[in-house]
Amino acid sequence: MKTNKYLMIYQEISQQIERGEWAPGVQLPSENELAERYETSRETIRKALTLLAQRGFIQKIRGKGSIVLDLAKFDFPVSGLVSFKELALKSGKSWKTKVHELDVVTPDRFLQQQLKVEREDRVWKVTRVREMNGEKIILDKDFFNQQYVTELTYEICENSIYEYIENELGLNISFAKKEIVVEQPTEEDRALLSLDGFHNVVVVKNHVYLDDASLLQYTESRHRPDKFRFVDFARRNH
């Protein structure tokens, strides 16, 4: 059976990207150039490029054309509870955490619902940007019930809050209920993340519990979509 030409073009370019013939960040030739190279129509090229984008090989960016993506994605174990530090160390990539906000806040109605707290309770608000290989790819917005986490510092937040909670406070983080959604980037996302050309973010929402089923944390982990392979009940291994 005859293979559609756009599929042949997709297969050839995808194999070239997998072999490293097109490096991450490189711009593919224009639709006109590719149509001439493969002796076909722009419509056929457009279908091949759309499939390449859907399969995660390229990002089509308005005004810049088709940019080759890095196929070395980071495995983000949605089925388990792992801190960013643990994930980063396992990946072998250079990493850094920058704390943008650390404060004790009065919970609004939304946080009262998420953390099951009252208006008079206090909540730690921690906003952190995660970098891997120099790219800002995750915005973590964490909220901890101050009843369980009485003190936090910038140093703790830049290292690992989970490490501090478990090793210093002696609390056991046990399980989480998770939800994954795709959203349009907020102004905060665009300001703090490297989102040039990306029109959505993958948001992992977590309600994290201690081993006595106390609700410890609500968090939104906002990810640039090209860098992660997402692998809702999760249990942390001790």
Side-chain angles (χ1 to χ4, degrees):
M1 185 171 67
K2 185 176 179 181
T3 303
N4 288 330
K5 188 154 189 177
Y6 84 91
L7 288 175
M8 296 174 60
I9 296 169
Y10 158 77
Q11 290 167 357
E12 181 171 323
I13 296 177
S14 64
Q15 289 168 3
Q16 290 171 348
I17 294 173
E18 288 175 335
R19 291 195 297 265
E21 296 176 26
W22 296 101
V26 167
Q27 181 178 334
L28 290 180
S30 68
E31 290 181 1
N32 285 333
E33 291 172 315
L34 289 172
E36 185 175 337
R37 177 179 300 184
Y38 287 100
E39 298 181 343
T40 189
S41 67
R42 283 186 61 189
E43 180 61 29
T44 297
I45 294 299
R46 198 170 289 125
K47 289 174 70 175
L49 292 176
T50 297
L51 189 54
L52 285 165
Q54 291 173 344
R55 300 290 172 83
F57 288 97
I58 64 171
Q59 175 74 14
K60 298 174 77 174
I61 300 177
R62 187 175 303 168
K64 292 188 177 182
S66 300
I67 307 300
V68 176
L69 295 178
D70 186 354
L71 296 183
K73 299 178 187 291
F74 306 108
D75 286 337
F76 190 85
V78 171
S79 59
L81 262 172
V82 179
S83 72
F84 175 79
K85 180 180 178 180
E86 292 165 338
L87 173 68
L89 290 174
K90 184 178 179 181
S91 75
K93 308 290 184 181
S94 64
W95 63 279
K96 183 169 64 174
T97 292
K98 183 174 182 180
V99 180
H100 276 265
E101 185 175 4
L102 173 61
D103 200 4
V104 176
V105 299
T106 299
D108 58 15
R109 187 177 299 274
F110 176 78
L111 283 179
Q112 290 174 42
Q113 293 174 343
Q114 300 308 313
L115 282 172
K116 308 301 182 191
V117 294
E118 303 296 332
R119 176 73 178 175
E120 58 269 20
D121 293 323
R122 294 295 177 264
V123 171
W124 283 104
K125 179 181 180 181
V126 187
T127 304
R128 294 176 290 179
V129 172
R130 316 294 200 162
E131 293 186 20
M132 280 237 192
N133 290 347
E135 291 188 283
K136 300 172 182 177
I137 56 176
I138 308 174
L139 173 61
D140 276 337
K141 301 177 71 173
D142 298 296
F143 302 91
F144 293 91
N145 189 336
Q146 196 185 35
Q147 176 184 347
Y148 305 110
V149 184
T150 54
E151 177 153 1
L152 282 177
T153 66
Y154 277 85
E155 183 180 6
I156 291 168
C157 296
E158 287 179 352
N159 181 42
S160 172
I161 296 177
Y162 277 13
E163 191 174 289
Y164 168 73
I165 289 173
E166 293 178 327
N167 296 341
E168 300 298 326
L169 298 183
L171 300 175
N172 290 321
I173 299 169
S174 183
F175 63 93
K177 295 178 181 178
K178 300 193 174 197
E179 176 186 4
I180 303 175
V181 296
V182 177
E183 298 179 356
Q184 290 188 335
T186 63
E187 289 186 12
E188 184 179 38
D189 293 330
R190 295 197 178 281
L192 298 179
L193 295 177
S194 305
L195 284 181
D196 183 28
F198 291 92
H199 304 296
N200 54 56
V201 291
V202 179
V203 183
V204 182
K205 300 179 180 181
N206 291 275
H207 293 84
V208 182
Y209 296 78
L210 298 174
D211 58 358
D212 64 356
S214 298
L215 182 50
L216 168 74
Q217 172 193 13
Y218 171 72
T219 182
E220 291 187 5
S221 189
R222 308 178 68 83
H223 297 251
R224 205 176 84 176
D226 66 313
K227 285 297 181 183
F228 288 86
R229 206 171 13 233
F230 292 90
V231 250
D232 341 335
F233 182 90
R235 186 168 296 278
R236 181 168 174 78
N237 294 320
H238 290 281

